[in-house]
Amino acid sequence: MVSDEIKRFLDFVAESKKIYDMASEVMHLEEKKTQDFLHAIEFETSAKERSKICTRLHKSRQERRRNKDLVEEREDLVKFFQDPQHKRTLDQLTQLLGRVRKVEKYHADRTYYPRVREE
């Protein structure tokens, strides 16, 4: 159905925004953790403990990279629809979805009653 395709696109845009926001937040958190780990390494006297901190730093950097990639992949799309002109287009697509669903519902529930009976 046409409405399913429109809905799928609108869901994709909304999901991309949600992923972008979440990944951006995680990326910034991991950047702050990096500073904590670097300071912990700087002040740790035990080589064994520094090694453990380095492993945690490595994992944190990998997580940051995964989330940074997600942000970069979705950034242009999110910024495109933040533009007022394009946001308006997205709002119009939402309204279009409602109108198309209404027509589809009318077509699904339509019945015909003969006006003339043949005998």
Side-chain angles (χ1 to χ4, degrees):
M1 295 178 82
V2 174
S3 64
D4 293 337
E5 295 301 316
I6 296 170
K7 176 80 169 106
R8 210 170 66 152
F9 176 73
L10 291 171
D11 288 346
F12 167 73
V13 172
E15 184 68 19
S16 291
K17 172 80 169 104
K18 195 183 307 181
I19 290 171
Y20 174 84
D21 290 341
M22 184 233 19
S24 182
E25 188 176 311
V26 170
M27 183 182 77
H28 292 300
L29 176 66
E30 293 301 328
E31 288 170 354
K32 290 177 183 177
K33 282 183 181 180
T34 296
Q35 287 304 309
D36 291 343
F37 290 134
L38 291 175
H39 283 96
I41 291 168
E42 178 182 359
F43 296 115
E44 182 57 54
T45 56
S46 165
K48 185 175 181 179
E49 288 302 314
R50 275 195 311 268
S51 179
K52 289 178 184 179
I53 296 169
C54 287
T55 300
R56 291 173 54 206
L57 172 63
H58 175 72
K59 289 178 182 178
S60 174
R61 297 298 292 172
Q62 286 178 327
E63 181 66 19
R64 180 192 168 279
R65 171 57 52 202
R66 278 192 294 275
N67 283 281
K68 185 175 181 184
D69 290 349
L70 289 173
V71 167
E72 288 175 347
E73 290 167 2
R74 287 162 176 79
E75 185 172 30
D76 288 335
L77 177 72
V78 169
K79 288 188 177 183
F80 179 83
F81 283 111
Q82 285 176 342
D83 182 292
Q85 176 184 356
H86 303 298
K87 183 175 180 345
R88 192 180 59 171
T89 301
L90 199 60
D91 294 340
Q92 289 173 335
L93 274 173
T94 303
Q95 293 171 0
L96 174 66
L97 175 61
R99 291 193 306 269
V100 169
R101 281 182 173 162
K102 186 176 178 179
V103 170
E104 289 173 346
K105 185 176 184 318
Y106 169 76
H107 288 169
D109 297 339
R110 169 173 54 185
T111 56
Y112 178 75
Y113 299 101
R115 296 181 185 160
V116 179
R117 286 201 180 255
E118 291 188 26
E119 296 184 37

